[in-house]
Amino acid sequence: MMKNKLVALLMMCSIPCTVLAQTTVIHNIKGYTPTQKGELETFATLVIKDGRVINRGKAQLSKSYPDAKRIDGQGKVLLPGLIDAHGHIIGLGQNLMQLDLRGATSVAEVGKRLQAFAAQSEQPWIIGRGWNQELWPGKTFASAADLDKFVSDRPVVLSRVDGHAIWVNSKAMELAGLDSEVTSPAGGEIIRTAQGNPSGVFIDKAEQLITAHIPKRSEKALATALDKAGQHLLSLGITSAHDAGIDFDTWQLYKQRAKDNNLPLRIYAMLGATDDKLETMLKAGKVDDNEDMLAIRSVKVYADGALGSRGAALLQDYADRKGHRGLMLEDQQQLEDIFSLCFKHGFSAHTHAIGDRANQIVLNAYKNVFKRTGGILLRNRIEHAQIVDTDDIPRFKALKIIPSMQPVHATSDMHMAEQRLSDSQLEGAYAWRTFLEQGSRVAAGSDFPVELANPFHGLYSAITRQDHQGLPEQGWRPKELLTREQALQAFTLDAAYSAFQEFKVGSLEKGKWADFILVDTDIIHAPVQQVWQTKVLETWLAGQRRYQRQPAL
């Protein structure tokens, strides 16, 4: 009886098992992949089986697999699946469902979008993101009174594009119980009116005075955000994303979805250092599932704020705000305590540091903890590493710290950065090539939804340091330009390295997962202006097509 059941089970699985084991040959392609040898290799044929690459080579290679399933690539360009080494997945998904203020060029335009959104939304709190006062006439922060003109009956909370400041209406401040007596918390700033009252703009840790009162999101809303973000990222050719700071609820969701085998893309998640359940998550141990869909082995730490809101911690005054040097969210001793806790549990520490003072303090903290407890081999990272004192750049290599950088920040920030900073402060700014030339690996990302998630915008920024109109003509501070090969490696193999995954993903080498994309542009040889306009035609994850672009009507 038992033998008959076993035979029946084997017969039931025979069809899907055969399909799974089938070899697939994708031929007639123009393939590019970085390799562990440090070279960019080309190929015309890719052979995959059981979700992994088993071979690649010239056109005649396809004849070696006569029984394989054959797919004609029709001469299209094939690249490894792109990896975004710094984004916020749930934040992106929520952005796709919330009020989008990106690109608004005035307070009036923000108000117009806000009114339209409020008219069709029944949410008790109106949440949005994307405003940037640098795009407005006068380039100054607005106030709660400005929002009250458009919506006053419901609380409104609008995050700045970088997430390091919020702008709220009077209803939100009323529900939070804030008045002229409230004081700025350590690591935060309340922007005040001439009368000394909160103006409606709260920077960095001061945001929590408001956000603590926003109703908690439901499990369903969290799952929906994940799915929307996943669909969007796959459509852009991103097969793996490093989620820079997750809370306890997201940690639970990711683990359950990995267990159920229905994560939309590969996720390397960093635990949020500020979450009150951090130690609970650390004690549960690292996560690395068998299909490499989910890895959790690091902690995201915040050292300072952002340049746009003048929260980045500088060694010298801001050029456009004398006497102000930004905000440290954690002092050096606090950083050392957090690093020690991470290393104790075998977790890496990935630390947000934008200003040169923050980068210096973070490097000092890493150095001290390495001396006491070790941890130097955990591939610790500094996220952003935007403004670094030139004397501190070699310390990244000496301390084995990976600079996790977002090329599109340079082209988004270049005009604002020149107002905020002196020329000497900019000497070590967005210094991708300098890092590479000293032997550091640069892990590239976008910081979505701060920036658009499109990785081809990042590739274009890396190789041109220009805006989409091709300005400035020679690129902004062009000595830091990357070659096309270097840029591609930063968004693939080096990003994988920064997550201990260089032998699993990041290139189309034998034995690795068959994560790849077909695109409409040869990004290695096409005119440079075409790079940012590249369209993804198909996205494959572990040998399965997960996205296909629909033809235009």
Side-chain angles (χ1 to χ4, degrees), residues 8 32 113 116 122 145 148 188 269 281 316 341-342 359 477 494 504 526:
Y32 296 100
R113 295 192 198 182
E122 297 180 356
D148 294 342
M281 294 186 282
Q316 303 297 326
L341 178 64
C342 297
N359 275 279
R477 308 183 78 85
D494 284 353
K504 299 176 180 179

PDB file of all heavy atoms in Angstrom, residues 8 32 113 116 122 145 148 188 269 281 316 341-342 359 477 494 504 526:
ATOM      1  N   ALA A   8       2.384   6.698  -6.883  1.00  0.00           N
ATOM      2  CA  ALA A   8       1.394   7.701  -7.301  1.00  0.00           C
ATOM      3  C   ALA A   8       1.928   9.111  -7.134  1.00  0.00           C
ATOM      4  O   ALA A   8       1.736   9.977  -7.999  1.00  0.00           O
ATOM      5  CB  ALA A   8       0.113   7.524  -6.488  1.00  0.00           C
ATOM      6  N   TYR A  32      25.766  40.920 -22.268  1.00  0.00           N
ATOM      7  CA  TYR A  32      26.889  41.489 -21.529  1.00  0.00           C
ATOM      8  C   TYR A  32      26.800  41.026 -20.075  1.00  0.00           C
ATOM      9  O   TYR A  32      25.711  41.013 -19.495  1.00  0.00           O
ATOM     10  CB  TYR A  32      26.847  43.018 -21.520  1.00  0.00           C
ATOM     11  CG  TYR A  32      26.992  43.691 -22.853  1.00  0.00           C
ATOM     12  CD1 TYR A  32      25.882  44.166 -23.535  1.00  0.00           C
ATOM     13  CD2 TYR A  32      28.253  43.885 -23.424  1.00  0.00           C
ATOM     14  CE1 TYR A  32      26.012  44.815 -24.757  1.00  0.00           C
ATOM     15  CE2 TYR A  32      28.395  44.536 -24.648  1.00  0.00           C
ATOM     16  CZ  TYR A  32      27.269  44.997 -25.308  1.00  0.00           C
ATOM     17  OH  TYR A  32      27.400  45.649 -26.519  1.00  0.00           O
ATOM     18  N   ARG A 113      -2.383  69.776  -6.064  1.00  0.00           N
ATOM     19  CA  ARG A 113      -2.338  68.307  -6.025  1.00  0.00           C
ATOM     20  C   ARG A 113      -2.975  67.785  -4.743  1.00  0.00           C
ATOM     21  O   ARG A 113      -3.669  66.761  -4.749  1.00  0.00           O
ATOM     22  CB  ARG A 113      -0.889  67.820  -6.128  1.00  0.00           C
ATOM     23  CG  ARG A 113      -0.200  68.120  -7.439  1.00  0.00           C
ATOM     24  CD  ARG A 113       1.111  67.339  -7.519  1.00  0.00           C
ATOM     25  NE  ARG A 113       2.028  67.864  -8.527  1.00  0.00           N
ATOM     26  CZ  ARG A 113       3.206  67.333  -8.812  1.00  0.00           C
ATOM     27  NH1 ARG A 113       3.629  66.267  -8.133  1.00  0.00           N
ATOM     28  NH2 ARG A 113       3.989  67.859  -9.730  1.00  0.00           N
ATOM     29  N   ALA A 116      -6.821  67.907  -4.950  1.00  0.00           N
ATOM     30  CA  ALA A 116      -7.343  66.872  -5.840  1.00  0.00           C
ATOM     31  C   ALA A 116      -7.277  65.506  -5.175  1.00  0.00           C
ATOM     32  O   ALA A 116      -8.221  64.703  -5.267  1.00  0.00           O
ATOM     33  CB  ALA A 116      -6.554  66.872  -7.149  1.00  0.00           C
ATOM     34  N   GLU A 122     -10.608  58.985   1.206  1.00  0.00           N
ATOM     35  CA  GLU A 122     -11.370  58.981   2.449  1.00  0.00           C
ATOM     36  C   GLU A 122     -10.480  58.687   3.650  1.00  0.00           C
ATOM     37  O   GLU A 122     -10.973  58.480   4.761  1.00  0.00           O
ATOM     38  CB  GLU A 122     -12.499  57.941   2.362  1.00  0.00           C
ATOM     39  CG  GLU A 122     -13.522  58.241   1.271  1.00  0.00           C
ATOM     40  CD  GLU A 122     -14.631  57.207   1.213  1.00  0.00           C
ATOM     41  OE1 GLU A 122     -14.558  56.223   1.977  1.00  0.00           O
ATOM     42  OE2 GLU A 122     -15.559  57.368   0.396  1.00  0.00           O
ATOM     43  N   ALA A 145       0.260  77.063   7.723  1.00  0.00           N
ATOM     44  CA  ALA A 145      -0.776  77.968   7.213  1.00  0.00           C
ATOM     45  C   ALA A 145      -0.927  77.835   5.704  1.00  0.00           C
ATOM     46  O   ALA A 145      -2.046  77.956   5.166  1.00  0.00           O
ATOM     47  CB  ALA A 145      -0.431  79.410   7.591  1.00  0.00           C
ATOM     48  N   ASP A 148      -3.071  74.827   5.229  1.00  0.00           N
ATOM     49  CA  ASP A 148      -4.430  75.030   5.736  1.00  0.00           C
ATOM     50  C   ASP A 148      -5.348  75.633   4.677  1.00  0.00           C
ATOM     51  O   ASP A 148      -6.562  75.403   4.690  1.00  0.00           O
ATOM     52  CB  ASP A 148      -4.410  75.932   6.969  1.00  0.00           C
ATOM     53  CG  ASP A 148      -3.707  75.304   8.157  1.00  0.00           C
ATOM     54  OD1 ASP A 148      -3.536  74.064   8.160  1.00  0.00           O
ATOM     55  OD2 ASP A 148      -3.330  76.048   9.080  1.00  0.00           O
ATOM     56  N   GLY A 188      17.111  66.521  16.069  1.00  0.00           N
ATOM     57  CA  GLY A 188      16.009  67.036  15.258  1.00  0.00           C
ATOM     58  C   GLY A 188      15.888  68.539  15.400  1.00  0.00           C
ATOM     59  O   GLY A 188      16.474  69.149  16.296  1.00  0.00           O
ATOM     60  N   ALA A 269      17.438  42.700   3.221  1.00  0.00           N
ATOM     61  CA  ALA A 269      16.819  43.678   4.114  1.00  0.00           C
ATOM     62  C   ALA A 269      17.712  44.000   5.296  1.00  0.00           C
ATOM     63  O   ALA A 269      18.330  43.113   5.892  1.00  0.00           O
ATOM     64  CB  ALA A 269      15.473  43.151   4.606  1.00  0.00           C
ATOM     65  N   MET A 281      14.690  41.027  16.967  1.00  0.00           N
ATOM     66  CA  MET A 281      15.007  40.578  15.607  1.00  0.00           C
ATOM     67  C   MET A 281      16.440  40.052  15.525  1.00  0.00           C
ATOM     68  O   MET A 281      16.704  39.048  14.856  1.00  0.00           O
ATOM     69  CB  MET A 281      14.771  41.723  14.618  1.00  0.00           C
ATOM     70  CG  MET A 281      13.310  42.130  14.500  1.00  0.00           C
ATOM     71  SD  MET A 281      12.983  43.375  13.220  1.00  0.00           S
ATOM     72  CE  MET A 281      13.528  44.890  14.042  1.00  0.00           C
ATOM     73  N   GLN A 316      32.435  72.036   8.595  1.00  0.00           N
ATOM     74  CA  GLN A 316      32.399  73.496   8.537  1.00  0.00           C
ATOM     75  C   GLN A 316      30.961  73.949   8.307  1.00  0.00           C
ATOM     76  O   GLN A 316      30.095  73.163   7.947  1.00  0.00           O
ATOM     77  CB  GLN A 316      33.310  74.015   7.412  1.00  0.00           C
ATOM     78  CG  GLN A 316      34.761  73.566   7.537  1.00  0.00           C
ATOM     79  CD  GLN A 316      35.443  74.088   8.785  1.00  0.00           C
ATOM     80  OE1 GLN A 316      35.158  75.201   9.226  1.00  0.00           O
ATOM     81  NE2 GLN A 316      36.352  73.292   9.356  1.00  0.00           N
ATOM     82  N   LEU A 341      26.450  45.960  19.298  1.00  0.00           N
ATOM     83  CA  LEU A 341      25.265  45.095  19.382  1.00  0.00           C
ATOM     84  C   LEU A 341      25.093  44.301  18.089  1.00  0.00           C
ATOM     85  O   LEU A 341      24.828  43.086  18.122  1.00  0.00           O
ATOM     86  CB  LEU A 341      24.024  45.945  19.661  1.00  0.00           C
ATOM     87  CG  LEU A 341      22.691  45.197  19.728  1.00  0.00           C
ATOM     88  CD1 LEU A 341      22.676  44.213  20.895  1.00  0.00           C
ATOM     89  CD2 LEU A 341      21.522  46.187  19.847  1.00  0.00           C
ATOM     90  N   CYS A 342      25.242  44.964  16.952  1.00  0.00           N
ATOM     91  CA  CYS A 342      25.117  44.281  15.660  1.00  0.00           C
ATOM     92  C   CYS A 342      26.145  43.160  15.537  1.00  0.00           C
ATOM     93  O   CYS A 342      25.801  42.017  15.204  1.00  0.00           O
ATOM     94  CB  CYS A 342      25.321  45.270  14.512  1.00  0.00           C
ATOM     95  SG  CYS A 342      24.100  46.592  14.396  1.00  0.00           S
ATOM     96  N   ASN A 359      30.444  61.302   8.229  1.00  0.00           N
ATOM     97  CA  ASN A 359      31.283  60.225   7.703  1.00  0.00           C
ATOM     98  C   ASN A 359      32.516  60.018   8.571  1.00  0.00           C
ATOM     99  O   ASN A 359      32.903  58.883   8.852  1.00  0.00           O
ATOM    100  CB  ASN A 359      31.680  60.532   6.255  1.00  0.00           C
ATOM    101  CG  ASN A 359      30.631  60.096   5.255  1.00  0.00           C
ATOM    102  OD1 ASN A 359      30.554  58.935   4.884  1.00  0.00           O
ATOM    103  ND2 ASN A 359      29.802  61.032   4.835  1.00  0.00           N
ATOM    104  N   ARG A 477      31.711  68.212 -12.068  1.00  0.00           N
ATOM    105  CA  ARG A 477      32.903  67.675 -11.418  1.00  0.00           C
ATOM    106  C   ARG A 477      33.287  66.335 -12.076  1.00  0.00           C
ATOM    107  O   ARG A 477      33.258  65.266 -11.457  1.00  0.00           O
ATOM    108  CB  ARG A 477      32.684  67.535  -9.908  1.00  0.00           C
ATOM    109  CG  ARG A 477      32.173  68.836  -9.262  1.00  0.00           C
ATOM    110  CD  ARG A 477      32.030  68.746  -7.768  1.00  0.00           C
ATOM    111  NE  ARG A 477      33.312  68.871  -7.104  1.00  0.00           N
ATOM    112  CZ  ARG A 477      33.909  70.039  -6.782  1.00  0.00           C
ATOM    113  NH1 ARG A 477      33.313  71.194  -7.077  1.00  0.00           N
ATOM    114  NH2 ARG A 477      35.072  70.061  -6.179  1.00  0.00           N
ATOM    115  N   ASP A 494      29.122  44.340  -7.938  1.00  0.00           N
ATOM    116  CA  ASP A 494      29.602  44.981  -6.713  1.00  0.00           C
ATOM    117  C   ASP A 494      28.473  45.193  -5.716  1.00  0.00           C
ATOM    118  O   ASP A 494      28.690  45.132  -4.503  1.00  0.00           O
ATOM    119  CB  ASP A 494      30.304  46.302  -7.032  1.00  0.00           C
ATOM    120  CG  ASP A 494      31.698  46.072  -7.617  1.00  0.00           C
ATOM    121  OD1 ASP A 494      32.150  44.910  -7.650  1.00  0.00           O
ATOM    122  OD2 ASP A 494      32.336  47.050  -8.055  1.00  0.00           O
ATOM    123  N   LYS A 504      26.166  34.258  -6.015  1.00  0.00           N
ATOM    124  CA  LYS A 504      24.780  33.838  -6.231  1.00  0.00           C
ATOM    125  C   LYS A 504      24.105  34.651  -7.335  1.00  0.00           C
ATOM    126  O   LYS A 504      23.384  34.106  -8.160  1.00  0.00           O
ATOM    127  CB  LYS A 504      23.980  33.984  -4.930  1.00  0.00           C
ATOM    128  CG  LYS A 504      24.500  33.150  -3.774  1.00  0.00           C
ATOM    129  CD  LYS A 504      23.725  33.427  -2.492  1.00  0.00           C
ATOM    130  CE  LYS A 504      24.245  32.579  -1.334  1.00  0.00           C
ATOM    131  NZ  LYS A 504      23.503  32.869  -0.074  1.00  0.00           N
ATOM    132  N   ALA A 526      25.636  52.439 -27.226  1.00  0.00           N
ATOM    133  CA  ALA A 526      24.690  53.418 -27.774  1.00  0.00           C
ATOM    134  C   ALA A 526      25.101  54.843 -27.415  1.00  0.00           C
ATOM    135  O   ALA A 526      25.829  55.054 -26.440  1.00  0.00           O
ATOM    136  CB  ALA A 526      23.289  53.132 -27.233  1.00  0.00           C
TER     137      ALA A 526
END
